[in-house]
Short mmCIF file of all heavy atoms in Angstrom, two decimals:
data_model
loop_
_atom_site.label_atom_id
_atom_site.label_comp_id
_atom_site.label_asym_id
_atom_site.label_seq_id
_atom_site.Cartn_x
_atom_site.Cartn_y
_atom_site.Cartn_z
N LEU A 269 -22.25 -10.80 -7.29
CA LEU A 269 -21.29 -10.28 -6.46
C LEU A 269 -19.91 -10.58 -6.83
O LEU A 269 -18.97 -9.74 -6.75
CB LEU A 269 -21.54 -10.81 -4.98
CG LEU A 269 -20.58 -10.32 -3.94
CD1 LEU A 269 -20.71 -8.82 -3.69
CD2 LEU A 269 -20.92 -11.09 -2.62
N VAL A 270 -19.67 -11.78 -7.32
CA VAL A 270 -18.40 -12.22 -7.80
C VAL A 270 -17.92 -11.20 -8.94
O VAL A 270 -16.86 -10.69 -9.00
CB VAL A 270 -18.25 -13.65 -8.24
CG1 VAL A 270 -16.92 -14.02 -8.83
CG2 VAL A 270 -18.74 -14.65 -7.05
N ARG A 271 -18.88 -10.87 -9.84
CA ARG A 271 -18.64 -10.04 -10.91
C ARG A 271 -18.30 -8.55 -10.47
O ARG A 271 -17.39 -7.97 -10.87
CB ARG A 271 -19.82 -9.92 -11.89
CG ARG A 271 -19.42 -9.52 -13.32
CD ARG A 271 -20.55 -9.76 -14.21
NE ARG A 271 -21.81 -8.91 -13.92
CZ ARG A 271 -23.00 -9.25 -14.02
NH1 ARG A 271 -23.23 -10.44 -14.67
NH2 ARG A 271 -23.98 -8.59 -13.75
N ALA A 272 -19.05 -8.12 -9.38
CA ALA A 272 -18.82 -6.73 -8.92
C ALA A 272 -17.40 -6.67 -8.31
O ALA A 272 -16.74 -5.65 -8.35
CB ALA A 272 -19.93 -6.41 -7.83
N THR A 273 -16.97 -7.72 -7.67
CA THR A 273 -15.66 -7.69 -7.04
C THR A 273 -14.46 -7.80 -8.07
O THR A 273 -13.44 -7.11 -7.95
CB THR A 273 -15.60 -8.79 -5.87
OG1 THR A 273 -16.66 -8.63 -5.06
CG2 THR A 273 -14.16 -8.74 -5.18
N PHE A 274 -14.60 -8.84 -8.81
CA PHE A 274 -13.43 -9.14 -9.67
C PHE A 274 -13.50 -8.37 -11.02
O PHE A 274 -12.49 -8.22 -11.70
CB PHE A 274 -13.36 -10.66 -10.02
CG PHE A 274 -12.90 -11.41 -8.76
CD1 PHE A 274 -13.71 -12.33 -8.17
CD2 PHE A 274 -11.54 -11.32 -8.32
CE1 PHE A 274 -13.25 -13.01 -7.05
CE2 PHE A 274 -11.12 -12.02 -7.28
CZ PHE A 274 -11.92 -12.84 -6.61
N GLY A 275 -14.75 -7.96 -11.38
CA GLY A 275 -14.98 -7.40 -12.80
C GLY A 275 -14.93 -8.51 -13.82
O GLY A 275 -14.58 -9.76 -13.44
N LEU A 276 -15.47 -8.32 -14.94
CA LEU A 276 -15.62 -9.27 -15.96
C LEU A 276 -14.29 -9.96 -16.25
O LEU A 276 -14.05 -11.24 -16.38
CB LEU A 276 -16.28 -8.81 -17.28
CG LEU A 276 -17.77 -8.76 -17.19
CD1 LEU A 276 -18.21 -8.27 -18.46
CD2 LEU A 276 -18.31 -10.23 -17.01
N GLY A 277 -13.24 -9.17 -16.36
CA GLY A 277 -11.86 -9.56 -16.67
C GLY A 277 -11.28 -10.54 -15.67
O GLY A 277 -10.89 -11.62 -15.90
N GLY A 278 -11.49 -10.15 -14.38
CA GLY A 278 -10.97 -10.91 -13.23
C GLY A 278 -11.75 -12.20 -13.06
O GLY A 278 -11.22 -13.20 -12.47
N MET A 279 -13.02 -12.27 -13.62
CA MET A 279 -13.68 -13.60 -13.53
C MET A 279 -13.09 -14.62 -14.31
O MET A 279 -13.42 -15.93 -14.04
CB MET A 279 -15.16 -13.24 -13.80
CG MET A 279 -15.91 -12.68 -12.70
SD MET A 279 -17.62 -12.42 -13.20
CE MET A 279 -18.41 -13.95 -12.98
N VAL A 280 -12.32 -14.23 -15.38
CA VAL A 280 -11.76 -15.28 -16.26
C VAL A 280 -11.08 -16.34 -15.41
O VAL A 280 -11.14 -17.50 -15.54
CB VAL A 280 -10.86 -14.59 -17.31
CG1 VAL A 280 -10.11 -15.78 -18.13
CG2 VAL A 280 -11.73 -13.79 -18.25
N GLY A 281 -10.26 -15.76 -14.45
CA GLY A 281 -9.36 -16.75 -13.58
C GLY A 281 -10.22 -17.60 -12.72
O GLY A 281 -9.83 -18.58 -12.22
N GLN A 282 -11.56 -17.27 -12.54
CA GLN A 282 -12.48 -18.04 -11.61
C GLN A 282 -13.37 -18.96 -12.48
O GLN A 282 -14.11 -19.66 -11.83
CB GLN A 282 -13.42 -17.01 -10.91
CG GLN A 282 -12.73 -15.91 -10.21
CD GLN A 282 -12.22 -16.48 -8.89
OE1 GLN A 282 -12.77 -17.29 -8.14
NE2 GLN A 282 -10.99 -16.04 -8.45
N VAL A 283 -13.13 -18.99 -13.82
CA VAL A 283 -14.15 -19.77 -14.54
C VAL A 283 -14.09 -21.27 -14.22
O VAL A 283 -15.10 -21.91 -13.99
CB VAL A 283 -13.74 -19.60 -16.12
CG1 VAL A 283 -14.53 -20.61 -16.90
CG2 VAL A 283 -14.34 -18.27 -16.59
N GLY A 284 -12.86 -21.85 -14.11
CA GLY A 284 -12.81 -23.18 -13.80
C GLY A 284 -13.46 -23.63 -12.56
O GLY A 284 -14.22 -24.54 -12.51
N GLN A 285 -13.15 -22.93 -11.56
CA GLN A 285 -13.77 -23.07 -10.18
C GLN A 285 -15.27 -22.90 -10.33
O GLN A 285 -16.03 -23.69 -9.72
CB GLN A 285 -13.13 -22.11 -9.13
CG GLN A 285 -13.84 -22.08 -7.79
CD GLN A 285 -13.62 -23.41 -7.12
OE1 GLN A 285 -12.91 -24.33 -7.53
NE2 GLN A 285 -14.48 -23.63 -5.99
N GLY A 286 -15.69 -21.84 -11.00
CA GLY A 286 -17.15 -21.60 -11.20
C GLY A 286 -17.91 -22.72 -11.83
O GLY A 286 -18.84 -23.10 -11.28
N ILE A 287 -17.22 -23.34 -12.84
CA ILE A 287 -17.84 -24.45 -13.49
C ILE A 287 -18.00 -25.65 -12.55
O ILE A 287 -19.00 -26.37 -12.45
CB ILE A 287 -17.21 -24.81 -14.89
CG1 ILE A 287 -17.37 -23.79 -15.74
CG2 ILE A 287 -17.70 -26.22 -15.42
CD1 ILE A 287 -16.54 -23.90 -17.07
N ARG A 288 -16.98 -25.91 -11.82
CA ARG A 288 -16.92 -27.07 -10.78
C ARG A 288 -18.02 -26.90 -9.87
O ARG A 288 -18.63 -27.85 -9.60
CB ARG A 288 -15.54 -27.05 -10.11
CG ARG A 288 -14.56 -28.08 -10.69
CD ARG A 288 -13.46 -28.34 -9.61
NE ARG A 288 -12.71 -27.11 -9.42
CZ ARG A 288 -11.68 -26.59 -10.06
NH1 ARG A 288 -11.31 -27.30 -11.21
NH2 ARG A 288 -11.01 -25.53 -9.65
N VAL A 289 -18.15 -25.70 -9.35
CA VAL A 289 -19.17 -25.44 -8.28
C VAL A 289 -20.59 -25.53 -8.88
O VAL A 289 -21.64 -26.20 -8.52
CB VAL A 289 -19.04 -24.19 -7.67
CG1 VAL A 289 -20.11 -23.85 -6.73
CG2 VAL A 289 -17.68 -24.08 -6.86
N TRP A 290 -20.78 -24.88 -10.15
CA TRP A 290 -21.99 -24.83 -10.80
C TRP A 290 -22.53 -26.16 -11.13
O TRP A 290 -23.77 -26.40 -10.98
CB TRP A 290 -21.94 -23.93 -12.12
CG TRP A 290 -23.06 -23.99 -13.00
CD1 TRP A 290 -24.26 -23.34 -12.89
CD2 TRP A 290 -23.24 -24.75 -14.23
NE1 TRP A 290 -25.10 -23.70 -13.85
CE2 TRP A 290 -24.51 -24.58 -14.69
CE3 TRP A 290 -22.40 -25.57 -14.89
CZ2 TRP A 290 -24.96 -25.13 -15.93
CZ3 TRP A 290 -22.77 -26.21 -16.10
CH2 TRP A 290 -24.08 -25.98 -16.57
N ARG A 291 -21.64 -27.09 -11.55
CA ARG A 291 -22.12 -28.46 -11.80
C ARG A 291 -22.86 -29.18 -10.69
O ARG A 291 -23.77 -29.97 -10.82
CB ARG A 291 -20.93 -29.31 -12.44
CG ARG A 291 -20.58 -28.92 -13.85
CD ARG A 291 -19.34 -29.65 -14.23
NE ARG A 291 -19.42 -31.08 -14.10
CZ ARG A 291 -18.51 -31.93 -14.16
NH1 ARG A 291 -17.36 -31.51 -14.38
NH2 ARG A 291 -18.68 -33.23 -14.17
N LYS A 292 -22.42 -28.89 -9.48
CA LYS A 292 -23.03 -29.44 -8.23
C LYS A 292 -24.08 -28.57 -7.74
O LYS A 292 -25.04 -29.06 -7.10
CB LYS A 292 -21.98 -29.64 -7.23
CG LYS A 292 -20.87 -30.62 -7.61
CD LYS A 292 -21.26 -32.03 -7.32
CE LYS A 292 -20.15 -33.02 -7.52
NZ LYS A 292 -20.51 -34.36 -7.06
N LYS A 293 -23.93 -27.18 -7.90
CA LYS A 293 -24.77 -26.36 -7.27
C LYS A 293 -25.23 -25.30 -8.20
O LYS A 293 -24.82 -24.12 -8.22
CB LYS A 293 -24.11 -25.60 -6.07
CG LYS A 293 -23.58 -26.61 -4.85
CD LYS A 293 -22.61 -25.96 -4.12
CE LYS A 293 -22.16 -26.91 -3.04
NZ LYS A 293 -22.74 -26.67 -1.70
N PRO A 294 -26.16 -25.64 -9.16
CA PRO A 294 -26.57 -24.77 -10.24
C PRO A 294 -27.21 -23.41 -9.74
O PRO A 294 -27.23 -22.47 -10.49
CB PRO A 294 -27.47 -25.59 -11.01
CG PRO A 294 -27.94 -26.71 -10.18
CD PRO A 294 -26.83 -27.02 -9.28
N GLU A 295 -27.57 -23.36 -8.49
CA GLU A 295 -28.34 -22.18 -7.98
C GLU A 295 -27.36 -21.00 -7.99
O GLU A 295 -27.87 -19.90 -7.79
CB GLU A 295 -28.82 -22.42 -6.54
CG GLU A 295 -29.81 -23.70 -6.37
CD GLU A 295 -29.12 -24.95 -6.25
OE1 GLU A 295 -27.84 -24.96 -6.22
OE2 GLU A 295 -29.82 -26.00 -6.19
N ILE A 296 -26.01 -21.17 -8.04
CA ILE A 296 -25.20 -20.01 -7.91
C ILE A 296 -25.46 -19.05 -9.07
O ILE A 296 -25.09 -17.93 -8.98
CB ILE A 296 -23.70 -20.34 -7.87
CG1 ILE A 296 -23.23 -21.24 -9.04
CG2 ILE A 296 -23.25 -21.00 -6.56
CD1 ILE A 296 -21.71 -21.22 -9.24
N MET A 297 -26.03 -19.53 -10.18
CA MET A 297 -26.28 -18.68 -11.31
C MET A 297 -27.57 -17.95 -11.19
O MET A 297 -27.99 -17.04 -11.93
CB MET A 297 -26.22 -19.46 -12.62
CG MET A 297 -24.85 -20.05 -12.93
SD MET A 297 -23.59 -18.86 -13.04
CE MET A 297 -23.98 -18.02 -14.62
N LYS A 298 -28.44 -18.49 -10.26
CA LYS A 298 -29.85 -18.05 -10.23
C LYS A 298 -29.93 -16.66 -9.56
O LYS A 298 -29.25 -16.32 -8.63
CB LYS A 298 -30.68 -19.03 -9.43
CG LYS A 298 -31.79 -19.71 -10.10
CD LYS A 298 -32.59 -20.63 -9.38
CE LYS A 298 -33.22 -20.12 -8.05
NZ LYS A 298 -33.84 -21.15 -7.17
N ARG A 299 -30.96 -15.85 -10.04
CA ARG A 299 -31.31 -14.59 -9.47
C ARG A 299 -32.15 -14.98 -8.33
O ARG A 299 -33.06 -15.73 -8.41
CB ARG A 299 -32.02 -13.92 -10.60
CG ARG A 299 -32.52 -12.49 -10.18
CD ARG A 299 -33.45 -12.05 -11.26
NE ARG A 299 -32.58 -11.66 -12.44
CZ ARG A 299 -32.09 -10.51 -12.62
NH1 ARG A 299 -32.17 -9.51 -11.83
NH2 ARG A 299 -31.39 -10.19 -13.69
N PRO A 300 -31.94 -14.34 -7.12
CA PRO A 300 -32.73 -14.71 -5.91
C PRO A 300 -34.01 -14.15 -6.03
O PRO A 300 -34.16 -13.08 -6.66
CB PRO A 300 -31.86 -14.15 -4.79
CG PRO A 300 -31.13 -13.08 -5.39
CD PRO A 300 -30.79 -13.42 -6.80
N ARG A 301 -35.01 -14.76 -5.42
CA ARG A 301 -36.40 -14.12 -5.37
C ARG A 301 -36.37 -13.07 -4.43
O ARG A 301 -35.98 -13.18 -3.37
CB ARG A 301 -37.35 -15.30 -4.84
CG ARG A 301 -38.82 -15.07 -5.02
CD ARG A 301 -39.62 -16.03 -4.19
NE ARG A 301 -39.23 -15.91 -2.81
CZ ARG A 301 -39.78 -14.91 -1.98
NH1 ARG A 301 -40.71 -14.13 -2.42
NH2 ARG A 301 -39.48 -15.06 -0.62
#
Side-chain angles (χ1 to χ4, degrees):
Chain A
L269 179 63
V270 177
R271 199 170 62 211
T273 303
F274 287 113
L276 275 178
M279 278 178 80
V280 174
Q282 302 285 320
V283 166
Q285 172 65 11
I287 292 173
R288 258 195 304 275
V289 176
W290 170 77
R291 283 174 57 196
K292 296 279 190 173
K293 300 164 179 263
E295 301 83 5
I296 58 164
M297 297 302 287
K298 235 178 62 185
R299 179 188 290 273
R301 190 190 64 79

